[in-house]
């Protein structure tokens, strides 16, 4: 919001007389310094809150429950026949299809050990990018 407001003020000031523009620039500079001064002390509490949200006992319990749900969904997907699954995937919106393929990349890289995305993995990955065939 601050960036948008500053940009709008900057372009609106192009038609202003030089003295008014200088005053406006000085006001914006003072406001920027004041916001920086008052927002800097907020960094550590915000970072602490973010870490707590990821590392607390309640967050870990919630993540464990979500992991169980993901496994259940994967099992239900595996039970479908290939044609029904392809039909389902083709009916997805573009955004849902994107999220599904991103999830596929994560699972392929971390569970099947096939490099399928950029980035690091804690596992030793195969040099092949071909997914192994599923067991019948």
């Amino acid at each position: 919001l601050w960036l948008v407001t500053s940009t709008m003020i900057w372009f609106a000031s192009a038609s202003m007389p030089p003295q008014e523009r200088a005053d406006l620039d000085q006001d914006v500079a003072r406001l920027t310094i004041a916001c920086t001064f008052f927002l800097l002390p907020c960094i550590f509490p915000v970072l602490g809150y973010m870490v707590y949200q990821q590392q607390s006992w309640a967050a870990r319990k919630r993540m464990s429950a979500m992991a169980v749900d993901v496994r259940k969904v994967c099992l239900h997907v595996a039970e479908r026949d290939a044609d029904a699954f392809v039909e389902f995937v083709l009916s997805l919106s573009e955004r849902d299809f994107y999220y599904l393929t991103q999830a596929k990349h994560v699972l392929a890289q971390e569970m099947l050990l096939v490099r399928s995305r950029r980035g690091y993995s804690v596992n030793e990955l195969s040099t092949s990018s071909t997914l192994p065939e599923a067991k019948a």
Side-chain angles (χ1 to χ4, degrees), residues 66-79 100:
M66 284 190 254
V68 170
D69 289 345
V70 169
R71 185 174 188 282
K72 286 179 187 176
V73 169
C74 289
L75 289 173
H76 284 288
V77 168
E79 290 174 355
L100 184 65

Side-chain angles (χ1 to χ4, degrees), residues 103-117:
K104 187 245 344 169
H105 290 308
V106 172
L107 291 171
Q109 184 158 317
E110 300 303 327
M111 299 293 288
L112 303 177
L113 305 179
V114 174
R115 181 172 297 284
S116 61
R117 62 188 174 126

Side-chain angles (χ1 to χ4, degrees):
L1 182 61
W2 178 246
L3 177 64
V4 171
T5 305
S6 297
T7 305
M8 290 173 66
I9 290 172
W10 178 259
F11 286 114
S13 67
S15 61
M16 298 175 85
Q19 181 57 37
E20 286 183 28
R21 185 175 179 146
D23 291 341
L24 182 62
D25 285 345
Q26 191 174 19
D27 291 342
V28 170
R30 285 185 187 140
L31 190 56
T32 301
I33 291 169
C35 285
T36 303
F37 178 76
F38 289 116
L39 289 178
L40 275 178
C42 295
I43 289 175
F44 295 110
V46 168
L47 288 176
Y49 179 74
M50 289 169 59
V51 168
Y52 174 76
Q53 286 293 322
Q54 293 292 318
Q55 302 297 326
S56 70
W57 180 81
R60 290 193 182 273
K61 187 176 177 184
R62 186 174 58 249
M63 287 172 60
S64 294
M66 284 190 254
V68 170
D69 289 345
V70 169
R71 185 174 188 282
K72 286 179 187 176
V73 169
C74 289
L75 289 173
H76 284 288
V77 168
E79 290 174 355
R80 285 198 168 186
D81 67 330
D83 293 335
F85 184 71
V86 169
E87 185 179 328
F88 162 73
V89 170
L90 293 176
S91 71
L92 291 175
S93 68
E94 184 176 339
R95 180 170 293 231
D96 289 339
F97 180 77
Y98 171 78
Y99 287 134
L100 184 65
T101 56
Q102 294 307 306
K104 187 245 344 169
H105 290 308
V106 172
L107 291 171
Q109 184 158 317
E110 300 303 327
M111 299 293 288
L112 303 177
L113 305 179
V114 174
R115 181 172 297 284
S116 61
R117 62 188 174 126
R118 292 183 295 177
Y120 298 105
S121 175
V122 295
N123 301 310
E124 185 174 337
L125 302 175
S126 166
T127 56
S128 171
S129 62
T130 305
L131 294 174
E133 289 298 319
K135 297 176 184 173

